[in-house]
Amino acid sequence: MTPGPASRREGVGVVRHYNLLVGAASFLDDVLAGLEAPQKAIPPKYFYDARGSQLFDAICALPEYYPTRTEMAITERHVDEIARLLGPDVQLVEFGSGSGVKTRLLVDRLEPSLYVPIEISPAVLREACGALAILFPWLNISAVVADFSRPIRLPEFVGIPVRRKAVYFPGSTVGNFTPEEAVGFLVGVREMVGPGGMLVIGVDLKKDKRMLEAAYDDAQGVTAEFNLNLLHRINRELGGDFQVKRFRHKAFYDEQKSRIEMHLESLYSQFAHVGGRRFDFRPGETIHTEISCKYSVEEFQRLAARARFHAEKVWTDPAGLFSVHLMIAV
Ligand code: AVJ
């Protein structure tokens, strides 16, 4: 037997880019359909243009926004165990990779044979991959621009040893789906990783209403700006004429549904045009922009079981704010 390299780090990685957004529903179509509904709504994936992604990173650093730093602390503490459970020669697929800061911890310890970040914003993805390639010159990256709120079929990545596929889905972004939608999404993940494949997923936990509402309506108004950027984006990209100052950010925790809802509330009777159509707003009428569902550990494990994921391990912080699950496709 010829001894292989002691570590993947002795190799040189390749970076490839794929775009799977071709043929996807457009921003314009979704905005028009969303504003025509009785409860106006726009899907949260449209938050993340270049400006929105920047604002999201600013949210992650806010004192009130506990999820990012709590999840980082949990992951840092258990990353050796996570890497050991995932094993060698992993193809690591990340959904909504964003700026890729959380990924660094895991990539550093896991040394995956291939890293596949999936991200809706091409600019954000390019920048994150550039930074990763500098930090980890040995890392093979196949970057995919895609919308993971719809089914995705990844291309075949050939020529790279893969013993196991794993999906990394941090940030509690799974909370943007309703529980029913989350089950459907997880079924897709299970099909992607195959039997014995793994899922490492961050899930925000139920807690005090005041703490939750502060996290989604911070004192500096960064979350408000993030939410209102959606209207700016419609004006910029779709030639809309929203008077953004005539709307306000609204976020509340619905205890019945265990979820944060974010809305853009019209302060006046007014109208705005998009794509040649006129949309009327009553005072107090809202555009629903996001849900962020919260679970107990057991609730999330039961939900994942419906998608035939076995809950192998779960880690939380001492205060029980956030959870990181390792699940295995059965
Ligand atoms: C990235 C979707 C998990 O729901 O907490 C942060 C987005 N929205 N503040 C969340 C978000 C408002 C975030 N996720």
mmCIF file of all heavy atoms in Angstrom, residues 48 56 59 65 171-173 176 216 223 226 262 290 292 294, ligand 1:
data_model
loop_
_atom_site.group_PDB
_atom_site.id
_atom_site.type_symbol
_atom_site.label_atom_id
_atom_site.label_comp_id
_atom_site.label_asym_id
_atom_site.label_seq_id
_atom_site.Cartn_x
_atom_site.Cartn_y
_atom_site.Cartn_z
ATOM 1 N N TYR A 48 -32.191 38.649 0.146
ATOM 2 C CA TYR A 48 -30.744 38.494 0.055
ATOM 3 C C TYR A 48 -30.148 38.945 -1.270
ATOM 4 O O TYR A 48 -29.486 38.193 -1.965
ATOM 5 C CB TYR A 48 -30.354 37.050 0.392
ATOM 6 C CG TYR A 48 -30.836 36.662 1.775
ATOM 7 C CD1 TYR A 48 -32.052 36.013 1.953
ATOM 8 C CD2 TYR A 48 -30.106 37.022 2.910
ATOM 9 C CE1 TYR A 48 -32.518 35.694 3.221
ATOM 10 C CE2 TYR A 48 -30.567 36.709 4.178
ATOM 11 C CZ TYR A 48 -31.779 36.045 4.335
ATOM 12 O OH TYR A 48 -32.228 35.749 5.588
ATOM 13 N N PHE A 56 -27.943 41.421 6.629
ATOM 14 C CA PHE A 56 -28.094 40.197 7.411
ATOM 15 C C PHE A 56 -26.831 39.933 8.238
ATOM 16 O O PHE A 56 -26.921 39.575 9.415
ATOM 17 C CB PHE A 56 -28.444 38.987 6.546
ATOM 18 C CG PHE A 56 -28.560 37.753 7.390
ATOM 19 C CD1 PHE A 56 -29.601 37.617 8.292
ATOM 20 C CD2 PHE A 56 -27.582 36.768 7.341
ATOM 21 C CE1 PHE A 56 -29.680 36.512 9.134
ATOM 22 C CE2 PHE A 56 -27.659 35.663 8.172
ATOM 23 C CZ PHE A 56 -28.712 35.534 9.066
ATOM 24 N N ILE A 59 -27.017 42.042 11.177
ATOM 25 C CA ILE A 59 -27.965 41.482 12.161
ATOM 26 C C ILE A 59 -27.250 40.448 13.037
ATOM 27 O O ILE A 59 -27.404 40.425 14.259
ATOM 28 C CB ILE A 59 -29.174 40.822 11.452
ATOM 29 C CG1 ILE A 59 -30.095 41.888 10.874
ATOM 30 C CG2 ILE A 59 -29.943 39.897 12.404
ATOM 31 C CD1 ILE A 59 -31.244 41.330 10.017
ATOM 32 N N TYR A 65 -29.453 39.735 18.674
ATOM 33 C CA TYR A 65 -29.603 38.565 17.799
ATOM 34 C C TYR A 65 -28.674 37.446 18.295
ATOM 35 O O TYR A 65 -27.544 37.286 17.851
ATOM 36 C CB TYR A 65 -29.334 38.934 16.334
ATOM 37 C CG TYR A 65 -29.853 37.860 15.380
ATOM 38 C CD1 TYR A 65 -31.216 37.704 15.141
ATOM 39 C CD2 TYR A 65 -28.971 36.992 14.745
ATOM 40 C CE1 TYR A 65 -31.694 36.725 14.302
ATOM 41 C CE2 TYR A 65 -29.440 35.997 13.888
ATOM 42 C CZ TYR A 65 -30.804 35.873 13.671
ATOM 43 O OH TYR A 65 -31.270 34.889 12.832
ATOM 44 N N GLY A 171 -27.945 28.104 11.064
ATOM 45 C CA GLY A 171 -28.613 29.399 11.130
ATOM 46 C C GLY A 171 -30.087 29.337 11.466
ATOM 47 O O GLY A 171 -30.751 30.354 11.541
ATOM 48 N N SER A 172 -30.651 28.143 11.609
ATOM 49 C CA SER A 172 -32.093 27.982 11.797
ATOM 50 C C SER A 172 -32.879 28.514 10.609
ATOM 51 O O SER A 172 -34.028 28.943 10.754
ATOM 52 C CB SER A 172 -32.580 28.667 13.089
ATOM 53 O OG SER A 172 -33.825 28.123 13.481
ATOM 54 N N THR A 173 -32.260 28.484 9.452
ATOM 55 C CA THR A 173 -32.981 28.906 8.249
ATOM 56 C C THR A 173 -34.142 27.966 7.963
ATOM 57 O O THR A 173 -35.119 28.355 7.322
ATOM 58 C CB THR A 173 -31.999 29.001 7.062
ATOM 59 O OG1 THR A 173 -30.970 29.918 7.426
ATOM 60 C CG2 THR A 173 -32.681 29.516 5.805
ATOM 61 N N ASN A 176 -37.637 29.236 8.349
ATOM 62 C CA ASN A 176 -38.353 30.022 7.330
ATOM 63 C C ASN A 176 -39.444 29.201 6.638
ATOM 64 O O ASN A 176 -40.291 29.750 5.948
ATOM 65 C CB ASN A 176 -37.391 30.565 6.267
ATOM 66 C CG ASN A 176 -36.647 31.819 6.691
ATOM 67 O OD1 ASN A 176 -35.797 32.319 5.978
ATOM 68 N ND2 ASN A 176 -36.947 32.341 7.861
ATOM 69 N N TYR A 216 -35.711 40.185 16.773
ATOM 70 C CA TYR A 216 -36.242 40.493 15.433
ATOM 71 C C TYR A 216 -36.718 41.935 15.304
ATOM 72 O O TYR A 216 -37.317 42.315 14.296
ATOM 73 C CB TYR A 216 -37.363 39.504 15.077
ATOM 74 C CG TYR A 216 -36.802 38.120 14.830
ATOM 75 C CD1 TYR A 216 -36.571 37.240 15.890
ATOM 76 C CD2 TYR A 216 -36.438 37.719 13.547
ATOM 77 C CE1 TYR A 216 -36.017 35.990 15.673
ATOM 78 C CE2 TYR A 216 -35.888 36.470 13.313
ATOM 79 C CZ TYR A 216 -35.680 35.610 14.387
ATOM 80 O OH TYR A 216 -35.117 34.376 14.171
ATOM 81 N N THR A 223 -32.651 45.310 11.733
ATOM 82 C CA THR A 223 -33.625 44.358 11.190
ATOM 83 C C THR A 223 -34.717 45.100 10.412
ATOM 84 O O THR A 223 -35.176 44.628 9.366
ATOM 85 C CB THR A 223 -34.242 43.506 12.318
ATOM 86 O OG1 THR A 223 -33.177 42.965 13.115
ATOM 87 C CG2 THR A 223 -35.072 42.363 11.758
ATOM 88 N N PHE A 226 -33.263 45.836 7.119
ATOM 89 C CA PHE A 226 -33.201 44.579 6.361
ATOM 90 C C PHE A 226 -34.566 44.276 5.731
ATOM 91 O O PHE A 226 -34.665 43.958 4.539
ATOM 92 C CB PHE A 226 -32.788 43.481 7.342
ATOM 93 C CG PHE A 226 -32.827 42.063 6.829
ATOM 94 C CD1 PHE A 226 -31.889 41.609 5.913
ATOM 95 C CD2 PHE A 226 -33.784 41.167 7.315
ATOM 96 C CE1 PHE A 226 -31.912 40.283 5.473
ATOM 97 C CE2 PHE A 226 -33.806 39.848 6.891
ATOM 98 C CZ PHE A 226 -32.866 39.406 5.962
ATOM 99 N N MET A 262 -42.623 38.463 10.360
ATOM 100 C CA MET A 262 -42.199 39.816 9.984
ATOM 101 C C MET A 262 -43.115 40.313 8.874
ATOM 102 O O MET A 262 -43.456 39.581 7.944
ATOM 103 C CB MET A 262 -40.746 39.842 9.507
ATOM 104 C CG MET A 262 -39.743 39.502 10.605
ATOM 105 S SD MET A 262 -38.140 40.322 10.483
ATOM 106 C CE MET A 262 -37.738 40.142 8.772
ATOM 107 N N GLU A 290 -41.773 37.230 6.227
ATOM 108 C CA GLU A 290 -40.987 36.109 6.760
ATOM 109 C C GLU A 290 -41.680 35.448 7.940
ATOM 110 O O GLU A 290 -42.343 36.119 8.722
ATOM 111 C CB GLU A 290 -39.603 36.603 7.223
ATOM 112 C CG GLU A 290 -38.676 35.501 7.691
ATOM 113 C CD GLU A 290 -37.281 36.018 8.080
ATOM 114 O OE1 GLU A 290 -37.180 36.959 8.871
ATOM 115 O OE2 GLU A 290 -36.292 35.463 7.571
ATOM 116 N N SER A 292 -40.332 32.705 11.079
ATOM 117 C CA SER A 292 -39.149 32.080 11.652
ATOM 118 C C SER A 292 -39.644 31.174 12.780
ATOM 119 O O SER A 292 -39.879 31.634 13.898
ATOM 120 C CB SER A 292 -38.191 33.166 12.150
ATOM 121 O OG SER A 292 -36.915 32.629 12.367
ATOM 122 N N LYS A 294 -39.978 28.362 15.658
ATOM 123 C CA LYS A 294 -39.159 27.922 16.790
ATOM 124 C C LYS A 294 -39.664 26.566 17.271
ATOM 125 O O LYS A 294 -40.871 26.321 17.272
ATOM 126 C CB LYS A 294 -39.239 28.959 17.920
ATOM 127 C CG LYS A 294 -38.973 30.409 17.471
ATOM 128 C CD LYS A 294 -37.614 30.609 16.815
ATOM 129 C CE LYS A 294 -37.464 31.979 16.182
ATOM 130 N NZ LYS A 294 -36.203 32.129 15.424
HETATM 131 C C1 AVJ B 1 -31.392 33.399 8.397
HETATM 132 C C2 AVJ B 1 -33.659 32.910 8.155
HETATM 133 C C3 AVJ B 1 -32.512 32.138 10.033
HETATM 134 O O1 AVJ B 1 -35.108 33.817 10.660
HETATM 135 O O2 AVJ B 1 -33.636 34.337 12.147
HETATM 136 C C4 AVJ B 1 -32.959 37.466 10.908
HETATM 137 C C5 AVJ B 1 -33.333 35.674 9.088
HETATM 138 N N1 AVJ B 1 -34.737 37.622 9.755
HETATM 139 N N2 AVJ B 1 -33.638 38.523 11.338
HETATM 140 C C6 AVJ B 1 -33.994 34.209 10.979
HETATM 141 C C7 AVJ B 1 -33.659 36.878 9.902
HETATM 142 C C8 AVJ B 1 -34.715 38.622 10.629
HETATM 143 C C9 AVJ B 1 -32.948 34.494 9.913
HETATM 144 N N3 AVJ B 1 -32.641 33.252 9.118
#
